[in-house]
Amino acid sequence: TRTPVNVTVTGAAGQIGYALLFRIASGHLLGPDVPVRLRLLEIPQAVKAAEGTAMELDDCAFPLLSGIDITDDAKTAFDGVNVALLVGARPRSKGMERGDLLEANGGIFKPQGEAINAGAADDVRVLVVGNPANTNALIAQQHAPDVPAERFTAMTRLDHNRALSQLAKKLGVAVTDIRKLTIWGNHSATQYPDLFHAEVGGRIAAEAVNDQSWLENDFIPTVAKRGAAIIEARGASSAASAANAAIDHVHTWVNGTDEGDWTSAAVVSDGSYGVPEGLISSFPVTAKDGRYEIVQGLEIDEFSRARIDASVAELVEERDAVRGLGLI
Ligand code: NAX
């Protein structure tokens, strides 16, 4: 029998946590033959709720779940961790300035980065879901100098999946008919879902759509503002779809992308496509041998260039703001 993989989930008592934990425990994160040991990190006030979720996990009698630990201490939560899903974050409250938001999240992701640095397993992989995800990932990464920077990623897979679904609907095709879709930049309203490299049945998706007005005025804003539309309709933010995307992100990272396809993830920039080195920005990525790699050499036309640049500029601003606050 295999040694269980240690999976730590922060914000475990939250709504994404609730949708995520049962799928991890049932084998969807790492595969049907990989036992997992769950570590749940919560703030003290929410530990009891996390214990309730753990009771339900017990009650599923999942064959792959070899144990659950619950803690409010980051050091304990990340000791020996192989896969870290950083979901818990400080949401923006009404009237909160961006500086206050970044500072509050710095107070979460700095100590978590330090705890990962101190105790994580050599093969640790980190996915940041909690917003502002890219910059929270950057903060954690900067405080884990002994962990290879490439192990820190942020989630744009939900945006990617939203774009797949919107495009499939527009063209009347299956999501599996679409390849090489890309989300560029920040997981925010400035993100750029790119149909100029995506392919549908061997054709470029933007050409198959052949409707620039739909692309600019419908597709891009629908994908970028989908989170707000879900809140408006459901009265709560995306939870099951976000959990599903987190599962997809890690599953792809570990198991690889299909030949001739890629996906989207926010990874540490190597300077490709004019994205300043070190920023955690979304790119087209392939996964192989347990590593995400940025797809190289794509031609970027003027339309895409302007949109990528705008989203990356926002990431630079966020980085400069957290630098100014002394958080990195
Ligand atoms: P909830 O408010 O339901 O849950 C968050 C949980 O995190 C709470 O239980 C809270 O006690 C816990 N928490 C807060 N600080 C913590 C800390 N220092 N250590 C451990 N736990 C802590 O939010 P939920 O709907 O689950 O969303 C979680 C995060 O995901 C939010 O930041 C949200 O903005 C972000 N999202 C990111 C998405 C993405 O695509 N990257 C999409 C979905 C989601 O909006």
Side-chain angles (χ1 to χ4, degrees):
T1 58
R2 292 182 57 163
T3 323
V5 174
N6 290 324
V7 180
T8 300
V9 178
T10 76
Q15 49 152 8
I16 294 176
Y18 193 75
L20 184 58
L21 291 166
F22 296 86
R23 296 196 57 199
I24 298 171
S26 62
H28 289 90
L29 186 76
L30 298 167
D33 53 350
V34 185
V36 292
R37 183 167 187 94
L38 280 170
R39 302 266 180 73
L40 315 186
L41 178 67
E42 259 297 350
I43 53 174
Q45 310 88 281
V47 162
K48 186 158 182 235
E51 284 168 356
T53 304
M55 288 162 69
E56 283 202 74
L57 284 160
D58 280 343
D59 294 350
C60 295
F62 287 120
L64 290 173
L65 183 56
S66 67
I68 312 171
D69 305 302
I70 304 160
T71 180
D72 61 8
D73 174 57
K75 282 247 150 54
T76 309
F78 294 115
D79 188 40
V81 64
N82 303 107
V83 178
L85 303 173
L86 309 189
V87 178
R90 175 66 203 270
R92 189 190 287 259
S93 40
K94 241 198 172 116
M96 197 178 195
E97 298 292 333
R98 188 177 62 171
D100 298 332
L101 179 75
L102 292 172
E103 189 153 31
N105 279 292
I108 295 173
F109 288 88
K110 178 174 183 275
Q112 291 185 359
E114 289 167 348
I116 288 168
N117 197 56
D122 286 344
D123 69 346
V124 66
R125 290 183 177 83
V126 183
L127 169 62
V128 176
V129 174
N131 282 318
N134 301 53
T135 297
N136 288 341
L138 180 68
I139 294 170
Q141 183 272 319
Q142 290 285 309
H143 292 281
D146 302 332
V147 176
E150 66 182 41
R151 305 291 184 72
F152 284 83
T153 63
M155 191 166 93
T156 52
R157 187 65 172 264
L158 177 56
D159 309 299
H160 180 97
N161 288 343
R162 287 166 170 168
L164 277 178
S165 162
Q166 293 298 320
L167 178 63
K169 241 189 225 165
K170 170 74 176 173
L171 293 175
V173 300
V175 287
T176 47
D177 293 332
I178 301 168
R179 290 174 174 273
K180 300 186 177 177
L181 193 107
T182 308
I183 304 292
W184 296 90
N186 199 3
H187 168 70
S188 76
T190 67
Q191 65 175 266
Y192 172 52
D194 174 4
L195 297 189
F196 292 95
H197 299 100
E199 297 172 2
V200 182
R203 292 180 73 192
I204 293 296
E207 286 165 17
V209 167
N210 194 25
D211 184 348
Q212 184 66 18
S213 162
W214 176 80
L215 198 153
E216 274 186 57
N217 305 317
D218 196 335
F219 174 71
I220 294 175
T222 297
V223 172
K225 295 179 190 160
R226 186 70 163 179
I230 300 282
I231 293 174
E232 176 66 26
R234 206 173 84 85
S237 57
S238 321
S241 56
N244 178 68
I247 296 273
D248 283 352
H249 177 110
V250 173
H251 192 271
T252 302
W253 196 351
V254 173
N255 295 291
T257 39
D258 289 341
E259 198 56 44
D261 199 4
W262 67 60
T263 188
S264 305
V267 299
V268 175
S269 176
D270 58 0
S272 299
Y273 302 105
V275 182
E277 211 178 321
L279 274 190
I280 298 189
S281 187
S282 189
F283 287 98
V285 292
T286 53
K288 208 183 166 195
D289 302 327
R291 295 178 59 149
Y292 270 134
E293 273 178 29
I294 298 169
V295 174
Q296 296 295 328
L298 301 179
E299 255 180 65
I300 308 294
D301 69 7
E302 233 171 275
F303 179 85
S304 298
R305 185 77 266 164
R307 282 160 180 80
I308 295 169
D309 287 351
S311 195
V312 169
E314 184 183 52
L315 283 173
V316 169
E317 272 178 39
E318 290 182 15
R319 181 199 58 195
D320 291 348
V322 295
R323 250 190 210 152
L325 291 164
L327 296 170
I328 60 171

